[in-house]
Amino acid sequence: MAKKKSGFSIRKLVFNDKYLIILSLLLAVIVWIVTSLNIGTEENKIVKVSVPIKLGDEVSEQLGMQYYTLQDTIDISVTVSGAKYAIGQVTENDLSIKFDTSNVNRTGEQSIPILVTKKNNQLDFTVTSTYPAAVDAFFDVNESKNFDLYLKYDENAVSKGYTFGEPILSEDKINISGPKTYVDKIERAVVDVDFGSETKLTQPYKAECPITVEGLGVETSYLRFADKDDTSETISNVAVTLPVLKVTELPVSVNVDDMPEGFDESNLTLEYSEKTITAGVLESAGITQAVIGTIDFSEIKEGKNKFAFDVTNLEGITVLDEDLDEITVTARLSNDYTEKTVTINPADISITGVSADSEATLKHLSSRRVTVLVPDKNKKDDVTVSVVCDLGGANESGTYPLTITVNGIESAWVYGEYTADITVVTD
């Protein structure tokens, strides 16, 4: 009986050990997992950081230079290494990023190392690599200059029978600033028009065109373009308008002002040094003749009267003959006019435009003798004139123009301009 009891106990113990073994295995797995998480092999992690590029304070103070970069910020990939539980908690806030300018001692382009260290000592990790490891920058004294804008375009990009008119730019000058090394090499600032496939234009061309510079060895990446009057306003393009003009032959003419009432225009002959001009005009403007100026009829006297007119800046008309700057007009009266001289009596001058509390006194006449042209049929008659001096317009000099008319004779007029010195005294 005793042996049976002993055998039963052994089987029971073995049976209970199975549960112990299973429990032990489970505990071992749990311990292994916990240990792996806490003290397992090292792992790597990449932390991406975007930081502003700041290099200037120390360099500016020590060397009196500024720095120029191609970008204001830089994206950095930082590889950190450590236990999985530690690096899993690392963020960009745990990193200290600086730019090492300690070796900057000259002007020019240089590579500035990026130094990354850990900022949080509570986490056990190390910085193993940084990409990129450096940033390129140019160090130099800053220079700022204003430049005229030079427009470049293909003058043949119009249809046959058309030409380009005077270009219109939204800016005539710009300010360029940057490293003195490059700014001093700039020969001119350029606005380059690219017509693309538009090569047979008949209508005005408008576009926003980029600004570039010309000069041997100029690096434009570090240059800044700005408004010449407000350098805080950065610009990169200029609005360009190129008028497209129709090429045509225009007859030349002048206007004649203040022609006497009743004057027969056939008695005035106008001769032009150039009867027509080759010009460019907007088709929509409907210009059919080139009016080059105005002749005041009072300036015409007996014989030949020559008047010269500048034709380089006619409104709405572009003269295409580069050698033609001036056209002379010869005005001539027919032979049935006679020139007479009339003496003005100061007492007969009517002064108007004087206020009730003021008194006007005639001090001096530019001339008491005036020249009058009358038709030949009146050449034997006595000629008289009426003279008015209007003080209605302010005139600090005290000199006023005289309005002189011929009495009782049609198609007669006074040649030249005359003035009077008037003193006005207010009570």
Side-chain angles (χ1 to χ4, degrees):
M1 293 295 294
K3 288 183 179 179
K4 290 182 179 179
K5 185 176 182 180
S6 174
F8 174 80
S9 299
I10 292 171
R11 287 196 301 270
K12 187 176 180 181
L13 179 62
V14 171
F15 179 78
N16 291 337
D17 284 346
K18 290 181 181 179
Y19 286 96
L20 178 62
I21 291 170
I22 293 172
L23 180 60
S24 298
L25 288 173
L26 288 174
L27 290 174
V29 170
I30 293 172
V31 171
W32 178 80
I33 292 173
V34 172
T35 303
S36 297
L37 289 174
N38 288 274
I39 58 173
T41 58
E42 289 193 347
E43 294 189 8
N44 295 327
K45 175 183 178 180
I46 295 177
V47 180
K48 295 186 179 295
V49 187
S50 180
V51 294
I53 299 175
K54 295 182 179 180
L55 315 176
D57 293 343
E58 183 178 345
V59 174
S60 297
E61 291 176 4
Q62 295 179 0
L63 303 177
M65 295 189 298
Q66 296 187 25
Y67 70 92
Y68 305 87
T69 60
L70 301 181
Q71 59 205 73
D72 295 327
T73 61
I74 185 170
D75 294 328
I76 304 173
S77 295
V78 181
T79 301
V80 297
S81 178
K84 185 175 182 180
Y85 83 95
I87 64 172
Q89 302 177 59
V90 177
T91 68
E92 61 182 81
N93 296 324
D94 300 310
L95 301 173
S96 173
I97 300 174
K98 297 181 180 179
F99 300 92
D100 182 10
T101 59
S102 60
N103 292 324
V104 177
N105 55 16
R106 58 179 175 80
T107 62
E109 191 166 49
Q110 299 179 57
S111 183
I112 306 302
I114 301 173
L115 304 180
V116 182
T117 58
K118 70 174 185 178
K119 186 167 52 176
N120 188 345
N121 291 323
Q122 295 179 352
L123 291 176
D124 186 16
F125 70 92
T126 57
V127 176
T128 58
S129 66
T130 302
Y131 182 83
V135 60
D136 291 332
F138 196 97
F139 294 86
D140 203 348
V141 176
N142 188 67
E143 182 77 290
S144 178
K145 290 183 180 179
N146 288 339
F147 290 84
D148 292 328
L149 282 174
Y150 173 76
L151 184 65
K152 291 178 66 174
Y153 62 99
D154 182 4
E155 297 185 8
N156 297 315
V158 289
S159 293
K160 185 177 181 180
Y162 291 82
T163 187
F164 283 114
E166 189 68 22
I168 302 171
L169 279 68
S170 59
E171 305 284 340
D172 58 345
K173 291 176 180 287
I174 62 164
N175 176 270
I176 302 179
S177 60
K180 180 177 174 61
T181 300
Y182 293 137
V183 174
D184 286 347
K185 292 180 180 180
I186 298 174
E187 296 174 1
R188 64 181 180 183
V190 176
V191 176
D192 201 348
V193 179
D194 182 5
F195 293 109
S197 60
E198 300 183 65
T199 57
K200 295 184 178 180
L201 298 170
T202 60
Q203 298 296 320
Y205 179 84
K206 296 182 180 181
E208 291 285 334
C209 302
I211 304 170
T212 59
V213 297
E214 292 181 354
L216 185 62
V218 179
E219 171 57 61
T220 59
S221 301
Y222 299 115
L223 298 179
R224 178 178 177 274
F225 303 139
D227 186 284
K228 67 180 187 301
D229 298 318
D230 181 8
T231 55
S232 65
E233 182 181 348
T234 302
I235 58 176
S236 58
N237 295 309
V238 172
V240 176
T241 300
L242 287 169
V244 177
L245 309 177
K246 178 71 174 177
V247 178
T248 185
E249 288 289 324
L250 295 176
V252 176
S253 66
V254 293
N255 293 323
V256 180
D257 280 357
D258 297 328
M259 192 175 292
E261 186 177 351
F263 177 78
D264 186 350
E265 294 185 29
S266 63
N267 290 328
L268 175 63
T269 302
L270 300 174
E271 297 177 354
Y272 299 88
S273 59
E274 299 287 340
K275 293 183 178 180
T276 63
I277 59 172
T278 303
V281 298
L282 287 173
E283 284 188 291
S284 59
I287 297 174
T288 58
Q289 59 179 340
V291 180
I292 61 174
T294 299
I295 297 174
D296 194 300
F297 197 85
S298 64
E299 297 177 344
I300 301 174
K301 60 180 181 180
E302 284 187 300
K304 293 182 178 180
N305 303 266
K306 290 191 175 183
F307 304 91
F309 295 92
D310 182 3
V311 296
T312 60
N313 193 29
L314 299 177
E315 184 175 358
I317 298 174
T318 300
V319 178
L320 301 180
D321 184 351
E322 295 181 356
D323 296 327
L324 182 60
D325 297 328
E326 185 178 271
I327 292 179
T328 301
V329 180
T330 301
R332 185 183 310 180
L333 295 170
S334 60
N335 294 327
D336 58 355
Y337 275 84
T338 298
E339 186 176 296
K340 287 195 170 190
T341 300
V342 178
T343 301
I344 297 176
N345 184 352
D348 294 335
I349 297 177
S350 175
I351 301 176
T352 63
V354 184
S355 61
D357 60 347
S358 300
E359 181 179 350
T361 304
L362 174 64
K363 293 296 184 181
H364 178 71
L365 292 174
S366 60
S367 175
R368 292 187 60 182
R369 298 165 65 86
V370 298
T371 300
V372 178
L373 279 84
V374 297
D376 277 349
K377 63 181 180 180
N378 303 105
K379 64 183 178 181
K380 294 182 180 180
D381 298 337
D382 291 333
V383 178
T384 62
V385 296
S386 297
V387 184
V388 176
C389 183
D390 185 6
L391 308 188
N395 192 323
E396 295 180 358
S397 68
T399 300
Y400 298 85
L402 298 177
T403 301
I404 305 175
T405 56
V406 180
N407 297 326
I409 302 177
E410 291 184 353
S411 298
W413 69 95
V414 174
Y415 175 76
E417 296 180 353
Y418 304 88
T419 60
D421 292 340
I422 307 291
T423 299
V424 179
V425 179
T426 302
D427 294 339

